């Protein structure tokens, strides 16, 4: 090793110092992430690879600020991370005025001077993620001062723009400094009466050609002129792969946006509406890989899922009402006729609410059986199957195992319902849960509605899952056998870190408290405590 090399301080190597800072940031982020676009809840936020979607905690920000002031070698890397994400434009206003002046009502803010713009550009070029919520019209003031030919945010990749009815609308020309060629994620929420939206839609494709993910909030179906502008704008994006629309749209809009050959993921609230005296629209879904829909009527959706009509790897549907078992079965049959069965690896089907208002389930044809799910067994590469409906699921232990043995790669399984299971129906027990272990070795998350009246004592000792980390039991009362259940789960599922019972609306009833106690026992029980027969314990 030469004397010159040995005398160099390794912290002065830019790559090494960046790696140290990234480790500092990555390990001290706030633990609350933004919602992921992989779910079916609408609305949700969007993110992108390489852009942090969690905010730094205060200690991390203070550490980065201290490093930026320590020496010149630390300044640029620390400032890059410190300014990479902004939740408002206020920090840029602080570059030329005080916080007291920003919120003062005595005198208007002064515009930045040429010297101020030098400082502002020094920080603005580091911003990659920006949220604009113009609650006090501060954003409109700042953006109104920017020369329109200034590329103020050259490295901006994620823009979240939010205007509501109580917020002063911002002129579209004020947004031009935010719309650049490097923008890849665009998230716009606008009020239904915002008149700037049409102009913005027309400008986006040319000013932001690199956008791959876009979300648009609150479109009104009856505003046909706006919908025409919207669909033309969407079709003009050359690289758009993921589109989220937080509103119900009709099949005409769906027909237009699916013409984009690059679009792979579509998430929207679907209102299949066909005008009178017009032939049915031909909607091609052959380019989509992931379909996420809020569906008012399932029978209309089945028309879209024709054989050879799509090449999905993921389908996520949320139903607005309780559907008949025959319609759900028709959906599964349609997926079984799908020519490329090996590509479908994610299937979610949920209800928007538990529908506790429906009574007398014994007389309604809502029960899902083994025959309902049988068509799905042809999708052998299925990795996520989530069925969370009001419809009761009639499966015994043997039928459950016969189903899941066809999905050896399954990682997430939820077969849950919210109605009480009719007396005549078959029931899954804790034995059925345990029987999943050898047939699905990749399982990570399991949610089931079980008959909790019987906890097995003679289960095979060696039958243990080391991969399952989360268990959820919907509508599964265990009454006063909390420690017995905890002992059973600890014996066969030692890697579990989360055990939950009923969903939020009924978490505080006796069943919810019993499952909370099961989880508490599993966190740190003593062997003596769990070894005692507590079948008569109070829950």
């Amino acid at each position: 090793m030469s004397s010159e090399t040995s005398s160099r301080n390794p912290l002065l190597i830019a790559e090494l110092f960046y790696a140290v800072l990234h480790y500092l940031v990555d390990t001290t982020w706030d633990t609350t992430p933004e919602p992921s676009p992989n779910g079916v809840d609408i609305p949700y936020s969007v993110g992108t690879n390489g852009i942090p979607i969690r905010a730094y905690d205060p200690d991390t920000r203070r550490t980065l600020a201290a490093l930026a002031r320590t020496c010149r070698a630390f300044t640029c890397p620390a400032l890059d991370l410190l300014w990479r994400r902004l939740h408002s434009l206020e920090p840029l206003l602080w570059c030329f005025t005080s916080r007291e002046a920003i919120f003062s009502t005595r005198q208007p803010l002064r515009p930045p001077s040429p010297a101020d713009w030098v400082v502002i550009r020094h920080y603005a070029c580091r911003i990659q993620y920006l949220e604009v919520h113009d609650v006090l019209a501060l954003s409109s003031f700042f953006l109104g001062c920017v020369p329109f030919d200034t590329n103020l945010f050259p490295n901006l990749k994620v823009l979240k723009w939010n205007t509501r009815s109580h917020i002063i609308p911002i002129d579209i020309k004020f947004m031009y400094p935010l719309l650049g060629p490097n923008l890849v994620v665009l998230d716009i929420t606008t009020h239904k009466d915002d008149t700037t939206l049409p102009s913005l839609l027309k400008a986006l494709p040319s000013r932001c050609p690199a956008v791959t993910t876009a979300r648009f909030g609150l479109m009104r179906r009856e505003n046909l002129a706006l919908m025409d502008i919207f669909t033309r704008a969407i079709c003009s994006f050359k690289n758009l792969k993921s589109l989220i629309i937080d509103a119900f749209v009709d099949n005409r809009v769906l027909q237009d946006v699916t013409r984009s050959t690059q679009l792979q993921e579509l998430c929207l609230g679907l209102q299949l509406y066909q005008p009178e005296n017009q032939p049915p629209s031909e909607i091609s879904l052959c380019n989509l890989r992931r379909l996420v829909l809020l569906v008012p009527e399932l029978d209309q959706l089945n028309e879209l899922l024709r054989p050879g009509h799509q090449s999905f790897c993921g389908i996520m549907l949320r139903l607005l009402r309780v559907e008949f078992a025959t319609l759900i079965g028709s959906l599964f049959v349609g997926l079984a006729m799908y020519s490329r069965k090996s590509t479908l690896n994610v299937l979610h089907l949920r209800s928007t609410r538990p529908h506790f208002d429906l009574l007398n389930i014994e007389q309604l044809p809502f029960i899902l059986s083994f025959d309902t799910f049988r068509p799905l067994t042809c999708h052998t590469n299925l990795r996520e199957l989530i069925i969370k409906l009001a419809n009761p699921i009639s499966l015994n232990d043997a039928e459950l195992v016969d189903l899941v043995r066809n999905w050896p790669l399954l990682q997430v399984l939820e077969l849950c319902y919210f109605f009480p299971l009719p007396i005549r129906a078959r029931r899954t027990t804790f034995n059925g849960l345990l029987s999943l272990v050898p047939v699905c070795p990749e399982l990570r998350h399991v949610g089931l509605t079980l008959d909790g009246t019987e906890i097995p004592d003679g289960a095979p000792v060696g039958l243990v899952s080391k991969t399952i980390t989360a268990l959820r039991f919907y509508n599964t009362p265990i009454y006063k056998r909390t420690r017995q259940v905890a002992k059973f789960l600890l014996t066969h599922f030692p890697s579990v870190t989360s055990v939950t019972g009923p969903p939020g609306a009924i978490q505080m009833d006796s069943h919810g408290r019993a499952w909370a106690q099961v989880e508490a026992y599993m966190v740190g029980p003593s062997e003596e405590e769990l070894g005692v027969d507590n079948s008569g314990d109070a829950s």
Side-chain angles (χ1 to χ4, degrees):
M1 181 182 295
S2 65
S3 59
E4 180 182 357
T5 305
S6 60
S7 63
R8 291 182 60 188
N9 185 343
L11 287 181
L12 296 182
I13 302 176
E15 294 80 6
L16 177 59
F17 187 57
Y18 268 107
V20 172
L21 289 186
H22 277 286
Y23 177 80
L24 170 70
V25 170
D26 291 342
T27 55
T28 55
W29 273 346
D30 178 19
T31 57
T32 305
E34 291 187 2
S36 168
N38 292 330
V40 296
D41 295 319
I42 299 176
Y44 56 71
S45 302
V46 293
T48 184
N49 293 332
I51 305 299
I53 62 170
R54 290 179 286 182
Y56 306 152
D57 62 19
D59 290 339
T60 300
R61 298 192 66 86
R62 283 191 289 268
T63 301
L64 291 173
L67 286 172
R69 294 189 294 265
T70 299
C71 69
R72 292 181 180 179
F74 294 173
T75 298
C76 285
L79 286 179
D80 286 343
L81 291 179
L82 188 63
W83 284 85
R84 186 166 60 172
R85 176 185 179 118
L86 288 188
H87 292 281
S88 72
L89 290 171
E90 288 183 22
L92 292 177
L93 274 73
W94 300 337
C95 292
F96 63 93
T97 188
S98 65
R99 299 192 183 191
E100 293 76 12
I102 290 176
F103 296 100
S104 175
T105 57
R106 298 180 181 179
Q107 56 183 2
L109 289 174
R110 67 170 183 84
S113 66
D116 294 330
W117 281 118
V118 174
V119 177
I120 292 172
R121 289 193 182 96
H122 177 69
Y123 297 117
C125 66
R126 306 174 190 274
I127 300 173
Q128 298 184 35
Y129 182 110
L130 177 63
E131 297 183 21
V132 179
H133 307 275
D134 203 28
V135 179
L136 299 176
L138 295 175
S139 299
S140 59
F141 167 77
F142 177 78
L143 295 174
C145 297
V146 179
F148 297 145
D149 57 348
T150 299
N151 190 7
L152 188 59
F153 303 94
N155 295 309
L156 187 63
K157 296 181 180 179
V158 180
L159 173 62
K160 299 182 68 174
W161 180 274
N162 189 343
T163 62
R164 294 291 188 183
S165 57
H166 62 279
I167 301 174
I168 301 175
I170 299 180
D171 194 308
I172 179 60
K173 62 184 180 182
F174 293 165
M175 288 190 65
Y176 286 166
L178 304 174
L179 307 178
N182 292 322
L183 202 64
V184 294
V185 176
L186 188 63
D187 186 348
I188 297 178
T189 301
T190 180
H191 185 254
K192 61 184 179 181
D193 296 324
D194 191 346
T195 58
T196 65
L197 183 58
S199 300
L200 174 62
L201 290 173
K202 294 177 182 178
L204 286 177
S206 59
R207 298 190 67 91
C208 310
V211 167
T212 60
T213 301
R215 189 191 73 87
F216 297 93
L218 202 55
M219 303 289 177
R220 298 178 63 185
R221 189 190 70 183
E222 59 269 22
N223 192 337
L224 299 180
L226 178 59
M227 282 299 158
D228 287 338
I229 297 173
F230 173 74
T231 55
R232 285 198 296 269
I234 295 303
C235 295
S236 299
F237 281 106
K238 303 302 182 183
N239 298 294
L240 189 63
K241 296 181 179 180
S242 178
L243 173 64
I244 303 100
I245 307 174
D246 289 352
F248 277 97
V249 301
D250 57 32
N251 57 351
R252 183 178 58 83
V253 176
L254 179 62
Q255 178 187 14
D256 289 339
V257 298
T258 53
R259 290 174 180 170
S260 174
T261 57
Q262 298 296 321
L263 195 63
Q264 298 180 6
E265 179 181 35
L266 178 63
C267 175
L268 50 80
L270 181 61
Q271 182 68 57
L272 288 171
Y273 169 76
Q274 184 65 40
E276 296 181 1
N277 302 322
Q278 290 189 16
S281 301
E282 177 65 25
I283 300 175
S284 175
L285 304 179
C286 59
N287 296 318
L288 292 180
R289 303 290 291 159
R290 187 180 296 271
L291 181 66
V292 186
L293 297 179
L294 184 65
V295 187
E297 295 184 10
L298 192 57
D299 56 346
Q300 292 179 310
L301 175 65
N302 285 335
E303 294 297 322
L304 299 179
L305 301 179
R306 300 192 299 274
H309 195 53
Q310 72 290 114
S311 56
F312 298 123
C313 66
I315 299 178
M316 304 177 187
L317 307 177
R318 184 175 288 272
L319 306 180
L320 293 182
R321 69 180 189 184
V322 180
E323 291 286 5
F324 291 105
T326 53
L327 288 176
I328 296 176
S330 298
L331 171 66
F332 294 161
V333 169
L335 294 177
M337 298 172 65
Y338 174 42
S339 59
R340 299 179 60 188
K341 301 178 182 64
S342 62
T343 62
L344 185 65
N345 52 53
V346 174
L347 177 60
H348 297 184
L349 186 60
R350 314 183 193 215
S351 294
T352 54
R353 59 190 182 95
H355 300 277
F356 294 114
D357 53 328
L358 293 182
L359 302 176
N360 200 9
I361 187 63
E362 291 277 359
Q363 301 178 5
L364 298 177
F366 290 153
I367 300 177
L368 307 181
S369 64
F370 177 81
D371 290 335
T372 307
F373 294 99
R374 190 197 303 271
L376 297 179
T377 57
C378 64
H379 297 283
T380 56
N381 287 321
L382 205 61
R383 287 174 170 79
E384 293 185 20
L385 177 63
I386 297 180
I387 309 294
K388 295 170 64 174
L389 300 172
N391 305 64
I393 300 175
S394 176
L395 289 175
N396 59 30
D397 294 342
E399 290 173 334
L400 176 64
V401 174
D402 285 344
L403 279 179
V404 300
R405 71 169 68 254
N406 297 280
W407 310 312
L409 303 179
L410 202 63
Q411 298 179 5
V412 177
L413 172 66
E414 291 199 25
L415 297 177
C416 310
Y417 51 90
F418 305 102
F419 277 144
L421 193 63
I423 297 175
R424 59 186 170 86
R426 297 179 175 89
R427 287 169 167 79
T428 305
T429 68
F430 282 100
N431 275 321
L433 169 65
L434 193 57
S435 300
L436 299 177
V437 174
V439 296
C440 291
E442 301 295 326
L443 271 179
R444 302 289 190 272
H445 178 106
V446 179
L448 294 172
T449 298
L450 301 180
D451 179 4
T453 59
E454 181 179 349
I455 292 85
D457 294 326
V461 177
L463 198 55
V464 176
S465 171
K466 296 183 179 180
T467 60
I468 295 178
T469 59
L471 293 170
R472 185 158 195 175
F473 301 97
Y474 293 79
N475 199 18
T476 303
I478 54 176
Y479 304 106
K480 299 180 180 181
R481 292 179 294 277
T482 53
R483 295 194 184 185
Q484 189 179 355
V485 172
K487 181 180 179 180
F488 168 79
L489 295 179
L490 274 175
T491 301
H492 300 284
F493 304 95
S495 301
V496 167
T497 58
S498 173
V499 179
T500 51
I506 52 177
Q507 278 180 354
M508 299 312 295
D509 67 0
S510 59
H511 303 326
R513 290 193 298 270
W515 279 110
Q517 196 170 8
V518 168
E519 185 175 41
Y521 287 147
M522 294 182 66
V523 169
S526 64
E527 293 296 331
E528 294 78 12
E529 186 180 28
L530 284 177
V532 177
D533 182 7
N534 292 293
S535 59
D537 282 357
S539 60

